Amino acid sequence: MAPPRRKSCLNCVKGKRRCDAAVPDCQRCASKGLACDYLGTSQSAPAGGPMSHLGPEEGDLHSTTPGFLIDDNFETLDSTDLNPGTGLLPFPEQDLDWSELQNMGDMEGYVNAMPATVESGDDCVITGAIYHSRVVFVSQQFKTYPGMFYKRGQTPFIHRHMYDEHTPTVIYDALSSCALYCGKNKDNETLVFGDISRKVRQLKSEMQRSFLSPVDHLASVQALLLYQIIRLLDGDVRQRADAESDEAVLMSWNEQLQSRMQPPSLSTELESSPNLQGTMTTSSWQDWIVSESVRRTVLTCYMLQGVYSFLKLGYDKLSGKVDQLAFTAQSTLWNAPSEFHWREALKSRNPLEVTMGQWDDVMDSAQATDFEEFGVMIMAAYKGMDIVSERLGKEHLPRYGLEWGSSEAKD
């Protein structure tokens, strides 16, 4: 039998706020200068760190959110714990107090996607019901990635020609796992999840004992990212627990990948040398594929972490450094089937090399046909679903599973 969860402090129970159970005082009490009382329980830190217990608290009668940070002593959740409309984890019922979160002393590493009242690169917290429709849309986009990779050999962060010359074993493994997962049912899910668990263990073991080339390192991050998407968003409690235990591994690998990342440079090169298209070779195209895949993979890792944080805790906890990340948003470049088509696209289309914190500066001139899955997902997360509808128009919305007339205000 699992041991009982640590209770919230009295102040958090009365305020109907989520308590982090830090000792001697929780963050909310410390920030407000309140005496922190844990109902007479022993004030020892819960196993797994101050954030490991977050979930419904026994003393908080208004919280119905299941515990998502789970270790070996986890509760069994059934299908009623998932939102029947989306198949995703339910949002925490209460909105967090923005002013309280902003004043917390140790919020370093928590996100900045709030509006322009903060400087680009600063860390802050986003929370509130207005973000729910964005998080649901991005989550549902993520859930299509395993099937997309299985059927098309690509995702918005894995280019279809990335591994034409050499396909690392980890990519073959991820492809077969995605194929198995797409055929998962109640009868075979134990085998499917067992296959994923085995491949994750093998992947981590290889990363620990091998010196990997930059391309092999990229492939390993992409493979683990696909496994994380499956396990975090499937709805199976054990898979979520396993994925949460591997979150630090993915982000560590991602930071290593990020250290090798180069900013997009096509626009600068074209401005300095208008005839550059004539000198570009297959090597130039392949180099761009690798560089752009790195940029998109790094950004996707941060996006997944932030979206899951919002589903689990009710707020986004990514670092403001995401604002400094960049990618090439032009769909005709990413989807070019050959070097020739890629060079032709460079002649006629704006590459739309956009830095996250300067989205409007670049993307205001973009047409609906310039977007593909990745750009639409980023636009939804940063700008909102109303802006997505406005920019894409009625004709293009069905491609992304959206309907004309839906509004964030109604969600």
Side-chain angles (χ1 to χ4, degrees):
M1 178 177 177
R5 288 194 189 91
R6 182 182 180 82
K7 296 180 179 180
S8 298
C9 74
L10 283 175
N11 290 321
C12 288
V13 171
K14 291 177 181 178
K16 302 171 188 172
R17 303 294 180 188
R18 197 176 296 281
C19 182
D20 69 355
V23 291
D25 301 319
C26 73
Q27 289 180 329
R28 181 171 181 269
C29 288
S31 67
K32 299 175 75 70
L34 301 174
C36 193
D37 186 348
Y38 285 99
L39 301 173
T41 58
S42 173
Q43 293 193 5
S44 59
M51 299 294 285
S52 64
H53 75 293
L54 287 178
E57 303 296 42
E58 291 177 301
D60 190 345
L61 301 180
H62 295 271
S63 175
T64 59
T65 306
F68 299 127
L69 288 174
I70 308 167
D71 40 39
D72 289 337
N73 294 316
F74 63 87
E75 292 186 10
T76 300
L77 306 183
D78 57 37
S79 59
T80 60
D81 294 302
L82 301 179
N83 185 315
T86 64
L88 299 172
L89 310 177
F91 290 107
E93 278 196 0
Q94 70 275 24
D95 287 339
L96 301 182
D97 189 322
W98 165 247
S99 61
E100 291 174 7
L101 288 172
Q102 209 170 24
N103 292 329
M104 286 184 181
D106 59 348
M107 294 300 291
E108 182 178 0
Y110 286 55
V111 286
N112 174 19
M114 274 309 271
T117 53
V118 292
E119 295 295 326
S120 178
D122 285 351
D123 292 348
C124 66
V125 174
I126 62 167
T127 185
I130 191 174
Y131 294 101
H132 287 188
S133 59
R134 308 182 190 191
V135 172
V136 168
F137 174 74
V138 174
S139 300
Q140 290 173 334
Q141 291 295 299
F142 278 142
K143 291 178 73 172
T144 68
Y145 287 6
M148 188 185 302
F149 189 48
Y150 158 55
K151 295 176 182 178
R152 294 162 51 186
Q154 68 177 61
T155 70
F157 62 91
I158 302 177
H159 196 278
R160 72 178 72 180
H161 296 294
M162 176 68 214
Y163 301 111
D164 281 356
E165 295 185 2
H166 165 66
T167 305
T169 301
V170 296
I171 293 297
Y172 283 125
D173 287 344
L175 180 64
S176 63
S177 289
C178 287
L180 284 174
Y181 180 72
C182 290
K184 177 179 73 72
N185 55 46
K186 290 183 179 179
D187 295 326
N188 65 15
E189 64 179 10
T190 300
L191 293 174
V192 171
F193 287 140
D195 174 77
I196 292 174
S197 298
R198 177 181 62 82
K199 287 175 179 173
V200 170
R201 289 194 300 270
Q202 185 175 344
L203 177 61
K204 292 191 294 183
S205 177
E206 288 296 324
M207 281 288 286
Q208 289 176 352
R209 66 180 182 220
S210 302
F211 176 80
L212 300 180
S213 69
V215 170
D216 285 333
H217 182 90
L218 170 62
S220 296
V221 176
Q222 291 175 333
L224 184 55
L225 181 52
L226 283 168
Y227 296 138
Q228 289 292 91
I229 288 171
I230 290 173
R231 298 188 297 173
L232 287 174
L233 301 179
D234 172 80
D236 181 271
V237 64
R238 170 57 77 183
Q239 295 308 306
R240 283 205 305 271
D242 290 346
E244 287 181 359
S245 69
D246 287 331
E247 180 183 18
V249 175
L250 175 63
M251 298 315 295
S252 174
W253 294 4
N254 193 49
E255 289 174 2
Q256 295 173 36
L257 186 63
Q258 186 175 351
S259 68
R260 297 171 173 166
M261 187 174 65
Q262 299 295 321
S265 60
L266 286 176
S267 297
T268 303
E269 293 173 6
L270 289 171
E271 289 175 3
S272 61
S273 179
N275 296 321
L276 181 65
Q277 298 97 333
T279 65
M280 287 187 168
T281 64
T282 301
S283 177
S284 301
W285 179 49
Q286 291 172 341
D287 288 343
W288 178 84
I289 288 174
V290 174
S291 297
E292 183 63 21
S293 296
V294 169
R295 290 188 285 266
R296 289 178 174 231
T297 300
V298 168
L299 187 50
T300 302
C301 285
Y302 283 119
M303 288 289 294
L304 178 63
Q305 185 188 48
V307 163
Y308 186 68
S309 173
F310 209 113
L311 287 169
K312 179 176 65 177
L313 304 175
Y315 59 87
D316 190 355
K317 64 174 184 176
L318 288 181
S319 167
K321 63 186 174 183
V322 173
D323 278 350
Q324 309 302 318
L325 300 180
F327 73 102
T328 307
Q330 178 55 250
S331 63
T332 54
L333 291 176
W334 178 255
N335 292 325
S338 68
E339 174 213 350
F340 169 79
H341 290 90
W342 181 73
R343 287 193 287 109
E344 289 298 305
L346 279 175
K347 295 178 183 179
S348 58
R349 298 294 187 97
N350 182 342
L352 298 175
E353 295 176 323
V354 58
T355 300
M356 300 300 297
Q358 300 172 351
W359 178 273
D360 291 339
D361 296 343
V362 176
M363 300 306 293
D364 274 354
S365 62
Q367 304 298 312
T369 54
D370 291 329
F371 289 95
E372 41 80 47
E373 290 96 339
F374 193 72
V376 171
M377 183 183 73
I378 298 296
M379 179 167 57
Y382 259 61
K383 308 302 292 184
M385 301 309 299
D386 289 343
I387 297 298
V388 170
S389 296
E390 178 184 330
R391 296 303 304 275
L392 295 183
K394 186 175 182 179
E395 177 184 355
H396 298 280
L397 286 177
R399 176 183 172 190
Y400 304 100
L402 298 172
E403 296 181 0
W404 182 256
S406 60
S407 171
E408 279 184 312
K410 298 176 183 177
D411 292 328

